[in-house]
Structure formats: C-alpha cells, structure tokens
C-alpha cells in the first residue's frame, strides 16, 4: 500500500524505473541466436555418435532458449518472482523427463532380478 | 467498473492505473507474471509431447533417424531464422512501447506478423511435400521401400536375422515419428496462428490509440507469448529435423 512506504515489496515497486533494453543488445542477441542456429546445423553433419549428436543439439537449443528467455523475454531485468517462475518451468520439465526415462531405462533390470 | 487513478491525456504515454494496484510497476509485474504462469502450463503441455518423443526415439532410434531424413533441414534452418527474426521485431515492438514511438510499434508488430506468416507458408509447403509422399500417418501412409530395406539391415545387424514381428514394430515406430512430427508442428502452427491474429489486432489497436499510454504492459505480455512460441521451435527443430 502506498500509505506504508517502508514495506519491502511496495518500496521497491515504487522505485523501479522500467528498464529499456538498448537496441544494440537485441541485435547482439539476435546475431548470437543466428550463429548458434548455424552451429546446430553444422554440428548435425559432424561424425559424432548418435547420443553425441543429441547432447550437442540439445545443449545448443538450451543456450538459445536461455538467451531468448533472459533478453527477449526480459527475465534478466525482471523481479525475482519472474526468475523463479521461469526457472521452475525448466525444473518441472527436467523432473518429468528424468523420472520417465529412468522408468524406461530400468524396466529390463527388474526382469533380471526376478531371474526370468 | 474501474476508476483510473491516473489521468491520461492522449499520447501522454501514461497507462491507466487500475485501482487495485499500488503503481504502474506493480500492475506491470502482475500482468507479466500472469502471462508467465500461463506459459509454464504451456511448457508442461509441450513437455508431454516431447516426453512421448523421447521414449519412442529411445526405443527405436533407427526408425526415428530414417523418418527424420525425410525432413529438409535447410528449409527448417531458413524457417527457424525467419522465426528468430520475428522475435527480434517483436522485441523491438515492445521496446517501442517503452520509448513511446507509436509508428515503430505498429511497424515492428506488422513485420512480426509478416514473418510469422512466412514461417507458416513454408510449413504448409513442407507438409504438402510430405503428404504427397504418403508420409501423413493413417490409411494412406506408406513406408518407403529404401527405408524398409534400411530397417531390415538394421535388424539383421543387431539380431543376426530379420524378425517379422520386430520389423512391423519398427515400421510402426517409423510412422509414429510422423505422428509426432505432424502433431508437434501442427500444435506449434496453431500457436503461431493465434499469435499472428493477436499481433495484427494489437497493431490495429495501437494505431487507433485504443490502449492507454502505448500499451506497454499489454504488448509486453503478447511479446512473452510470441517469444515462448519461438523457444518451443528452437527445441522442435533439432529434435525433428536434425537426427543424424
């Protein structure tokens, strides 16, 4: 409430001036995204193992996603709560994929334990 | 319904502050946070599809690899570049709302819509090529002969002989890759259509000065949605086009 200027939340809210990202930053991020896109296509031509390709492609995609989220989506300049929400979505996807793949990978093991 | 606490002369650049917010900053934070919550639910929606993809690619890597070779990676590359450029113009439109340059907002929003439509145009062209090659899942789906030969060779190499049951399963997984491809790119395209419609609407509303101020908060929320759709494609492109 504006009648309580000393409460943490509203005090900061009153003093934040909207951050305006310079055009130059957007251009640099765009060029980086273009280079990473080119890198991911080139990497698909490299003589790597199948899992090697997947790791390289997903790492590059992750870097691109982080650049977009931080700068185009302004999370870099946003309130901590926005950081938590954005990071949380990655966390939930990680959990989903981790539990799902661990289930599929370990199915054969149970078979062995039972001695069938 | 709401009493504006701030007087807004046309083009003053001040947004109307709704009575239940302390200030514009808090109002902006609440709106963008709401959009972020929606996007998190969208992330979970796409994750379900990506999880299904991960499981079946893990089970039949060869079939997925062969199916992926039917996607043209350079068309995908060009299209990804178009989409990234549309994200840049969207970011510039949001920036223009902050600097109060109405013409730049409209111009950048229209560019975003044009680039988004170009992306969809290429996508339609790609889909048509795949449908013409009988690669649309369903009754008319045909596993190309050379892919069937490859699958037989693969089974012979791993098992020493071609088990007909396993061959049928691999052919099914080959088709499944196209199910996932059409579904994922289709759902993504649906998001693009919604996004383009909203972007055009926002360009018109900005042009006719419908928003208080320059629609900073509204356009920023729309921007978040647009960039999110871009992020989804950033993952879909290597997963669908670049399996070597």
């Amino acid at each position: 409430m504006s009648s309580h200027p000393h409460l943490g939340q509203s005090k900061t809210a009153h003093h934040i001036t909207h951050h305006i990202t310079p055009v130059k930053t957007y251009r640099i991020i765009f060029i980086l995204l273009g280079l990473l896109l080119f890198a991911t296509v080139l990497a698909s031509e490299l003589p790597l193992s199948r899992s090697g390709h997947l790791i390289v492609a997903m790492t590059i995609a992750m870097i691109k996603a982080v650049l977009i989220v931080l700068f185009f989506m302004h999370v870099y300049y946003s309130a901590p709560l926005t950081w938590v929400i954005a990071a949380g979505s990655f966390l939930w996807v990680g959990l989903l994929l981790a539990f799902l793949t661990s289930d599929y990978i370990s199915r054969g093991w149970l078979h062995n334990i039972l001695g069938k | 319904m709401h009493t504006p606490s701030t007087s807004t002369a046309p083009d003053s650049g001040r947004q109307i502050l709704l009575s239940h917010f302390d200030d514009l900053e808090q109002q902006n934070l609440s709106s963008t946070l709401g959009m972020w919550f929606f996007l998190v639910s969208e992330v979970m929606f796409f994750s379900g599809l990506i999880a299904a993809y991960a499981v079946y690619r893990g089970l039949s890597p060869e079939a997925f690899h062969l199916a992926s070779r039917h996607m043209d990676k350079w068309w995908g590359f060009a299209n990804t570049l178009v989409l990234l450029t549309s994200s840049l113009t969207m970011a510039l439109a949001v920036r223009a709302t902050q600097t109060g340059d109405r013409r730049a907002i409209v111009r950048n929003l229209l560019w975003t819509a044009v680039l988004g439509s170009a992306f969809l145009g290429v996508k339609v062209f790609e889909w048509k090529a795949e449908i013409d090659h009988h690669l649309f899942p369903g009754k008319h789906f045909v596993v190309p002969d050379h892919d069937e030969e490859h699958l037989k060779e693969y089974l012979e190499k791993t098992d020493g002989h071609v088990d007909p049951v396993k061959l049928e399963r691999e052919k099914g997984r080959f088709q499944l890759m196209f199910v996932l491809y059409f579904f994922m790119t289709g759902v993504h395209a649906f998001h693009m259509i919604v996004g383009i419609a909203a972007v055009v609407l926002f360009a018109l509303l900005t042009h006719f000065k419908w928003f208080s101020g320059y629609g900073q908060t509204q356009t920023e929320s729309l921007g978040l949605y647009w960039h999110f759709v871009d992020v989804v494609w950033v993952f879909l492109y290597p997963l669908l086009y670049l399996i070597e």
Side-chain angles (χ1 to χ4, degrees):
Chain A
M1 303 300 271
S2 45
S3 52
H4 301 289
H6 295 294
L7 288 177
Q9 182 67 34
S10 58
K11 194 182 172 191
T12 20
H14 274 290
H15 288 277
I16 294 169
T17 45
H18 215 99
H19 180 90
I20 301 179
T21 315
V23 176
K24 202 180 153 194
T25 310
Y26 287 130
R27 288 209 181 117
I28 291 170
I29 298 300
F30 175 69
I31 291 167
L32 281 177
L33 289 171
L35 290 175
L36 284 166
L37 170 64
F38 199 58
T40 198
V41 181
L42 286 187
S44 74
E45 306 272 359
L46 289 178
L48 293 172
S49 70
R50 210 160 260 172
S51 53
H53 274 299
L54 185 65
I55 290 166
V56 170
M58 285 299 99
T59 308
I60 293 177
M62 204 64 193
I63 296 170
K64 280 159 80 182
V66 166
L67 284 177
I68 294 171
V69 168
L70 284 186
F71 294 99
F72 282 180
M73 295 170 96
H74 302 144
V75 168
Y76 188 76
Y77 311 102
S78 294
L81 197 53
T82 314
W83 275 90
V84 173
I85 304 300
S89 65
F90 280 110
L91 182 73
W92 291 118
V93 177
L95 275 178
L96 175 74
L97 291 177
F99 280 105
L100 194 81
T101 46
S102 63
D103 174 35
Y104 271 90
I105 289 168
S106 59
R107 280 188 185 186
W109 301 352
L110 194 63
H111 216 67
N112 292 339
I113 294 167
L114 294 174
K116 285 182 187 168
Chain B
M1 201 168 83
H2 297 295
T3 329
S5 326
T6 319
S7 67
T8 47
D11 254 28
S12 68
R14 289 285 286 174
Q15 289 197 289
I16 292 173
L17 178 66
L18 298 178
S19 57
H20 50 281
F21 292 116
D22 283 350
D23 53 29
L24 288 171
E25 212 42 61
Q26 191 202 26
Q27 180 173 272
N28 181 275
L29 177 68
S30 307
S31 298
T32 49
L33 199 62
M35 195 61 187
W36 268 106
F37 273 114
F38 168 67
L39 295 183
V40 172
S41 75
E42 287 270 85
V43 168
M44 293 318 289
F45 170 74
F46 278 101
S47 303
L49 290 169
I50 289 178
Y53 169 93
V55 166
Y56 286 104
R57 182 172 164 182
L59 291 173
S60 293
E62 188 65 19
F64 270 56
H65 161 68
L66 290 173
S68 165
R69 289 208 310 201
H70 289 276
M71 285 60 149
D72 189 321
K73 72 163 95 169
W74 289 107
W75 274 116
F77 170 82
N79 234 2
T80 313
L81 203 57
V82 168
L83 204 56
L84 289 174
T85 314
S86 80
S87 255
L88 175 69
T89 56
M90 179 47 104
L92 292 177
V94 172
R95 187 180 184 276
T97 65
Q98 294 161 352
T99 56
D101 184 347
R102 200 177 295 278
R103 287 173 66 91
I105 304 169
V106 176
R107 191 182 60 235
N108 281 304
L109 283 178
L110 290 179
W111 268 116
T112 307
V114 167
L115 291 164
S117 307
F119 175 90
L120 284 180
V122 172
K123 208 74 218 102
V124 167
F125 164 80
E126 285 183 76
W127 280 330
K128 193 182 175 304
E130 283 135 9
I131 292 166
D132 286 348
H133 287 99
H134 300 281
L135 292 172
F136 186 76
K139 218 162 51 175
H140 304 288
F141 188 89
V142 180
V143 179
D145 289 340
H146 61 275
D147 287 317
E148 192 166 342
E149 284 309 311
H150 274 294
L151 285 174
K152 278 182 189 158
E153 278 169 31
Y154 171 73
L155 287 176
E156 206 155 13
K157 214 163 63 183
T158 45
D159 296 352
H161 67 286
V162 182
D163 182 347
V165 177
K166 277 193 176 176
L167 181 63
E168 280 311 303
R169 189 187 296 152
E170 289 295 322
K171 281 163 74 179
R173 298 267 163 81
F174 181 88
Q175 184 171 180
L176 190 61
M177 168 67 175
F178 282 96
V179 173
L180 289 165
Y181 166 80
F182 278 102
F183 199 79
M184 284 160 128
T185 56
V187 168
H188 181 264
F190 173 74
H191 278 80
M192 295 283 300
I193 292 166
V194 172
I196 292 166
V199 166
V200 171
L201 179 68
F202 270 52
L204 287 171
L205 292 178
T206 307
H207 180 72
F208 293 114
K209 302 182 182 173
W210 192 81
F211 296 122
S212 66
Y214 295 92
Q216 291 95 320
T217 302
Q218 293 91 331
T219 312
E220 191 171 347
S221 297
L222 177 65
L224 287 176
Y225 174 82
W226 190 268
H227 297 310
F228 164 77
V229 176
D230 192 11
V231 169
V232 170
W233 185 259
V234 158
F235 285 100
L236 291 189
Y237 174 57
L239 288 177
L240 298 172
Y241 288 73
L242 301 176
I243 309 179
E244 287 305 314

